Amino acid sequence: MAQTLEQQDTEIFELLKREKKRQLNGIELIASENFTSRAVLEALSSCAANKYSEGLPHHRYYGGNEIIDEIEGLCIKRALQAYGLDPAQWGVNVQPYSGSPANFAAYTALLKPHDRIMGLDLPSGGHLTHGYQTAKKKVSATSIYFESMPYQVHPKTGLVDYDQLASSAVLFKPKLIIAGASAYPRDWDYKRLRDIADANQCYLMTDMAHISGLVLTKEANSPFEHCDIVTTTTHKTLRGPRAGLIFFKKQFEQAINDAVFPALQGGPHENTIAAIAVALHEAMQPEFKAYCSQVKKNALAMAQALIQKGYSIVTDGTENHLVLWDVRPQDMTGAKLEKVFELVGISVNKNAIYGDTSALNPGGIRVGAPAMTSRGLVEADFVQVVEFLDRGVKIAVEIQKAKGKLLKNFLPEAEKSEAIKQLRTEVETWASKFFMPGFEEK
């Protein structure tokens, strides 16, 4: 047991070494990804991973948790402090394993089976856990256990249609309205949402997973003034480990805590909670405020550069960390371009655009600035990133002209394309110049 990973398991060691190289040499544009600091990684791989600690601090089902209680208590304190919340009015549960379990725990606390919910539709930029279903299938467990009626963005503006939501809520009478999204480039009107919730005597919850770092640094509107529950992940713009948090008004404390454990989870991952505490400490430093400001500048620079090249951007810009790129005018699909960009060392994700009928073969791509901003890129660098993206699209268009639209014919040609190989070499040479957080040699 004293052997290093390299000595003990060469297969995993080599795979991780390759993944490290991929991250260092690539351009990471997936809006939900980021690079943690070395300090966060150290906490994540610490001895706290060894401890079982079911229950809340000072109310555990196992002994030996006196120090773990201090770690989790510190994480709770920092979470409330970071968002400027009064502990007399707000609480937070730091045990959810990720964002989706956090959301389902919130639903479990607030709702009974078959209660009605309204969240932003997936093709409008919403998240699976906000009640997504199709005409033939209840895709999310949220839609299985609760009755879901989505609201949408306006088909012309791409902005959340609050008027439509207000009208639908009067008819549907939801028990819960969910704000927040996974692919929405604009800010939210929480006051309007609160008014709609009050008019229908229902709860209001925000899933701020994507914008939590921006909310913390006041680079985005805060949901806390108007919401009953606020959930978030900790690994996107917050730049921590992969986990979730549930903030709640104090009247929901018992219900939320009981929903997390024992209703849905077992022992919390205390090493992850220690790493969340580190990330929250980092997020309260002036450098993090500057980082989040730069994220928004970089996303806007990317949107403007794409527009200047003639591409279609949903809402014609962005107010946060991501850009939603409609590639249907190029007669392309998000799925096809995701594959092409992967071949050249650029990570993006296909994404539904309003009007799409398939989430697996949608007409859009979501690109984000958080990860590469962590590597030190500024606006001019993101303009260069768009140059790489533009070249990738043009190569893809030429391959499609020659081989047709079927992916089974398109992809083999892309994999052997000399133009793609040349572009990958340029991308890797360029990307490897930038600092990589957490990759410092020990």
Side-chain angles (χ1 to χ4, degrees):
M1 291 182 69
Q3 291 180 312
T4 64
L5 176 61
E6 183 177 11
Q7 294 166 333
Q8 178 68 32
D9 193 329
T10 56
E11 288 180 282
I12 288 294
F13 178 81
E14 289 299 325
L15 287 169
L16 288 173
K17 190 163 74 169
R18 285 169 52 198
E19 172 60 14
K20 182 176 181 179
K21 182 180 179 181
R22 185 197 69 81
Q23 292 183 23
L24 180 65
N25 292 340
I27 297 175
E28 181 55 73
L29 297 180
I30 294 176
S32 54
E33 294 191 13
N34 212 328
F35 298 112
T36 66
S37 69
R38 176 176 175 175
V40 167
L41 289 175
E42 286 183 0
L44 195 59
S45 60
S46 69
C47 61
N50 299 327
K51 194 69 191 88
Y52 222 117
S53 48
E54 287 182 344
L56 293 170
H58 312 295
H59 296 88
R60 306 289 189 180
Y61 286 80
Y62 292 88
N65 275 295
E66 57 272 18
I67 299 171
I68 293 295
D69 286 350
E70 290 188 48
I71 291 172
E72 188 169 331
L74 183 58
C75 187
I76 291 169
K77 178 182 176 181
R78 287 179 176 176
L80 295 173
Q81 181 183 357
Y83 290 95
L85 302 177
D86 182 353
Q89 298 180 353
W90 284 89
V92 60
N93 190 298
V94 301
Q95 294 186 2
Y97 300 143
S98 193
S100 294
N103 285 346
F104 203 79
Y107 305 147
T108 301
L110 297 176
L111 307 174
K112 295 178 181 179
H114 302 295
D115 274 350
R116 297 179 175 187
I117 64 171
M118 296 185 72
L120 187 63
D121 201 16
L122 190 75
S124 289
H127 192 262
L128 281 169
T129 60
H130 298 174
Y132 183 60
Q133 60 188 18
T134 68
K136 296 181 178 180
K137 185 178 181 181
K138 290 184 175 293
V139 179
S140 169
T142 311
S143 63
I144 294 173
Y145 294 107
F146 308 106
E147 304 304 319
S148 173
M149 181 181 188
Y151 58 94
Q152 299 172 319
V153 296
H154 192 280
K156 292 184 178 179
T157 66
L159 302 174
V160 170
D161 193 336
Y162 295 103
D163 291 337
Q164 179 237 335
L165 167 58
S167 298
S168 297
V170 169
L171 298 175
F172 190 62
K173 292 297 180 187
K175 184 74 173 289
L176 173 68
I177 293 174
I178 306 158
S182 65
Y184 184 63
R186 297 294 176 174
D187 215 333
W188 289 78
D189 186 346
Y190 299 110
K191 174 64 167 60
R192 181 75 192 279
L193 288 164
R194 180 75 263 174
D195 290 343
I196 296 170
D198 287 346
N200 294 279
Q201 299 182 335
C202 68
Y203 300 121
L204 178 61
M205 169 184 144
T206 290
D207 175 355
M208 65 170 187
H210 266 268
I211 58 171
S212 55
L214 305 183
V215 170
L216 187 151
T217 55
K218 296 181 171 55
E219 292 288 341
N221 294 336
S222 173
F224 289 100
E225 181 182 353
H226 300 291
C227 292
D228 302 298
I229 305 287
V230 178
T231 65
T232 184
T233 54
T234 54
H235 53 276
K236 298 182 176 83
T237 52
L238 198 55
R239 207 160 60 177
R242 298 184 61 82
L245 304 174
I246 307 173
F247 294 91
F248 48 82
K249 288 186 175 177
K250 291 294 278 188
Q251 63 261 39
F252 303 107
E253 182 169 23
Q254 190 68 49
I256 291 290
N257 289 338
D258 286 350
V260 175
F261 174 82
L264 296 174
Q265 294 187 181
H269 301 164
E270 293 294 344
N271 57 318
T272 304
I273 291 171
I276 296 170
V278 173
L280 289 166
H281 175 71
E282 293 175 351
M284 288 185 278
Q285 308 310 310
E287 296 82 2
F288 190 76
K289 168 68 173 177
Y291 161 74
C292 287
S293 176
Q294 190 63 52
V295 165
K296 290 177 64 177
K297 292 176 183 176
N298 288 345
L300 184 58
M302 189 161 44
Q304 290 174 340
L306 286 165
I307 291 170
Q308 287 172 3
K309 287 191 174 293
Y311 293 110
S312 176
I313 301 302
V314 175
T315 76
D316 295 322
T318 179
E319 293 174 328
N320 56 28
H321 64 300
L322 65 83
V323 177
L324 196 55
W325 178 7
D326 186 351
V327 298
R328 293 174 297 191
Q330 283 69 47
D331 198 26
M332 299 297 294
T333 67
K336 196 171 292 179
L337 286 180
E338 179 188 281
K339 292 290 186 182
V340 168
F341 290 138
E342 187 173 49
L343 290 173
V344 302
I346 302 175
S347 296
V348 304
N349 66 273
K350 58 183 174 291
N351 209 97
I353 303 288
Y354 184 84
D356 279 339
T357 57
S358 171
L360 297 178
N361 195 33
I365 290 174
R366 185 186 67 169
V367 290
M372 297 308 291
T373 305
S374 291
R375 295 190 64 181
L377 275 67
V378 295
E379 293 97 318
D381 300 311
F382 274 88
V383 172
Q384 177 58 56
V385 168
V386 170
E387 292 294 329
F388 291 137
L389 293 172
D390 180 51
R391 285 172 60 186
V393 172
K394 288 175 178 175
I395 294 170
V397 168
E398 289 303 312
I399 293 174
Q400 183 167 278
K401 285 181 181 178
K403 294 296 179 179
K405 294 185 178 182
L406 291 179
L407 191 60
K408 67 178 182 179
N409 297 330
F410 175 93
L411 193 55
E413 189 69 16
E415 289 172 342
K416 65 183 182 182
S417 166
E418 289 300 322
I420 283 181
K421 291 176 184 177
Q422 174 61 32
L423 182 54
R424 184 182 185 97
T425 299
E426 294 180 39
V427 166
E428 290 184 342
T429 300
W430 186 82
S432 63
K433 298 185 303 182
F434 294 95
F435 165 77
M436 174 65 82
F439 279 31
E440 305 90 339
E441 294 297 328
K442 297 183 180 180

